[in-house]
Amino acid sequence: MNAQECAWSVDQVAALMELPFNDLLYRAHGVHRENFDPHVVQLSTLLSVKTGGCPEDCAYCPQSRRYETGVEEGTEALEVVVESARIAKQNGATRFCMGAAWRSPKDRDLKLIAEMVSSVKGLGLQTCATLGMLKEGQAECLREAGLDYYNHNLDTSPEFYGQVITTRVYQDRLETLGRVRAAGINVCCGGIVGMGESRRDRAGLISQLASLTPYPESVPINNLVQVKGTPLEGAESLDPFEFVRVIAAARITMPKSFVRLSAGRAELGEGIQALCYFAGANSIFYGEKLLTTGNPEAQADRALMKRLDLVALE
Ligand code: SAM
Ligand code: DTB
Ligand code: SF4
């Protein structure tokens, strides 16, 4: 668990992000080296165990039932999940993350997920789940099944949040994160950039994350994948160097976290990904699929890592 030394205000994070690009990268890389081996990248593989049909209205999400995105609803059987995890491990992943398109799981859903978690854990992988909001007692149940990490994102700044999601509020998310922490599960929490938010909103997201006590062990930063049929289809795309600034700010403010290049990595291209690794990113989603959208081929990631002299965390 991270020892939180100080919280970061929005102004302080915004000031970091305003630094001349090379000064920001130099500082972030220094923090990275003080805390991690800069040649090592952690690999997590994702699987959607319950896809589509979600009642929430997250404007970025292809799995909301409110939008015509062509995503088919479905649930994976336990054997399929275990087989996917086995292959992920064989390919070099150390963590397997199971995602479900729920607003919040029902207790009977949780029973099924608990079985998946304990089977995946039995393969010698770290386990992660992202199932939406958790009620009292549910995090404990997941912990008992062997869950190592729970992913629940703050997504953006408190100020911009209402323009993206109306079916639940920021405080709901903070409460779920509190339950996860209290149950002794590691927190995986990050957000999305490229939704039309301002730089100050991006600083606001990082400030919120860095001020969680303690800050999250894993911080996924997603670059919006614009999916046809979602309200954010056609949003103005973000300058990729701005994405690098967000990674650098996450590294400086959460020095001991694994900062993960998450959705939208293919769209960034190899040069920008290399800059992100320099700026302190040290984790990726690995495998050809995220939940419903594409991701670089595992082989292409291995090749890029080799060219950059990066090795996978074992
Ligand atoms: N339903 C659960 C929830 O919302 O917490 C778990 C799954 S949800 C798909 C997990 C995260 O994926 C979201 O919080 C969001 O940050 C990210 N995400 C979803 N759609 C995305 C997209 N089109 N582009 C980038 N990130 C996305
Ligand atoms: C996270 O922050 N990003 C991942 C994971 N946590 C669950 C999900 C990305 C989803 C991208 C859209 C899709 O594939 O459906
Ligand atoms: Fe549902 Fe999660 Fe997608 Fe929001 S992000 S619509 S809660 S699956």
Side-chain angles (χ1 to χ4, degrees):
M1 208 174 277
N2 300 309
Q4 176 98 4
E5 273 138 32
C6 72
W8 287 79
S9 70
V10 184
D11 283 342
Q12 285 171 319
V13 180
L16 282 179
M17 291 181 65
E18 304 279 309
L19 284 171
F21 190 72
N22 284 341
D23 291 343
L24 174 60
L25 260 59
Y26 182 70
R27 180 158 164 194
H29 189 70
V31 173
H32 191 39
R33 270 179 189 262
E34 279 164 25
N35 292 282
F36 288 99
D37 179 336
H39 311 111
V40 176
V41 177
Q42 188 273 330
L43 307 178
S44 289
T45 294
L46 264 175
L47 179 70
S48 181
V49 301
K50 190 272 168 183
T51 308
C54 184
E56 302 293 273
D57 70 352
C58 312
Y60 48 76
C61 188
Q63 302 199 69
S64 167
R65 69 172 173 230
R66 296 164 192 246
Y67 317 132
E68 292 291 330
T69 62
V71 166
E72 278 178 34
E73 214 175 327
T75 310
E76 293 296 357
L78 177 63
E79 306 76 65
V80 175
V81 175
V82 175
E83 181 58 9
S84 305
R86 199 187 57 73
I87 295 169
K89 183 168 184 205
Q90 204 172 50
N91 285 338
T94 54
R95 192 178 305 166
F96 191 70
C97 179
M98 292 156 272
W102 286 315
R103 171 179 165 80
S104 53
K106 299 191 176 58
D107 286 340
R108 68 162 190 274
D109 298 326
L110 222 58
K111 222 171 139 249
L112 192 68
I113 298 288
E115 274 185 76
M116 292 175 179
V117 168
S118 56
S119 305
V120 171
K121 180 109 176 147
L123 298 174
L125 280 158
Q126 291 181 338
T127 54
C128 178
T130 181
L131 316 170
M133 293 183 285
L134 297 180
K135 293 188 279 288
E136 215 59 64
Q138 291 188 319
E140 283 73 11
C141 164
L142 290 168
R143 176 66 256 179
E144 274 162 35
L147 190 72
D148 297 305
Y149 289 80
Y150 193 81
N151 166 245
H152 198 61
N153 291 340
L154 289 176
D155 276 349
T156 189
S157 68
E159 294 77 18
F160 192 69
Y161 184 90
Q163 292 190 44
V164 182
I165 301 149
T166 69
T167 46
R168 55 178 149 167
V169 295
Y170 218 75
Q171 187 56 31
D172 293 328
R173 296 201 178 226
L174 292 168
E175 281 169 19
T176 291
L177 293 171
R179 290 187 180 127
V180 170
R181 256 295 161 240
I185 300 173
N186 292 303
V187 171
C188 172
C189 182
I192 315 185
V193 299
M195 300 190 292
E197 75 287 339
S198 63
R199 179 180 276 180
R200 192 158 179 89
D201 288 314
R202 292 187 278 279
L205 166 68
I206 298 298
S207 157
Q208 286 286 327
L209 295 170
S211 302
L212 293 171
T213 322
Y215 56 76
E217 282 75 15
S218 281
V219 180
I221 304 293
N222 297 277
N223 174 32
L224 175 71
V225 178
Q226 296 197 13
V227 179
K228 197 166 182 296
T230 60
L232 284 174
E233 176 192 4
E236 198 185 327
S237 48
L238 188 71
D239 175 358
F241 295 126
E242 187 68 16
F243 185 89
V244 182
R245 285 183 193 265
V246 175
I247 296 292
R251 169 51 64 226
I252 294 167
T253 58
M254 294 172 275
K256 293 186 188 303
S257 301
F258 279 86
V259 176
R260 181 173 310 121
L261 301 181
S262 303
R265 192 158 58 78
E267 292 77 358
L268 293 174
E270 294 186 335
I272 295 288
Q273 288 181 65
L275 278 176
C276 289
Y277 288 129
F278 184 78
N282 59 349
S283 171
I284 55 171
F285 280 125
Y286 173 69
E288 24 296 308
K289 205 166 170 202
L290 293 163
L291 294 174
T292 66
T293 64
N295 199 38
E297 298 280 332
Q299 204 197 342
D301 279 332
R302 283 198 294 267
L304 178 61
M305 285 172 63
K306 193 151 184 257
R307 284 160 68 206
L308 299 175
D309 305 302
L310 298 170
V311 294
L313 178 71
E314 289 184 4

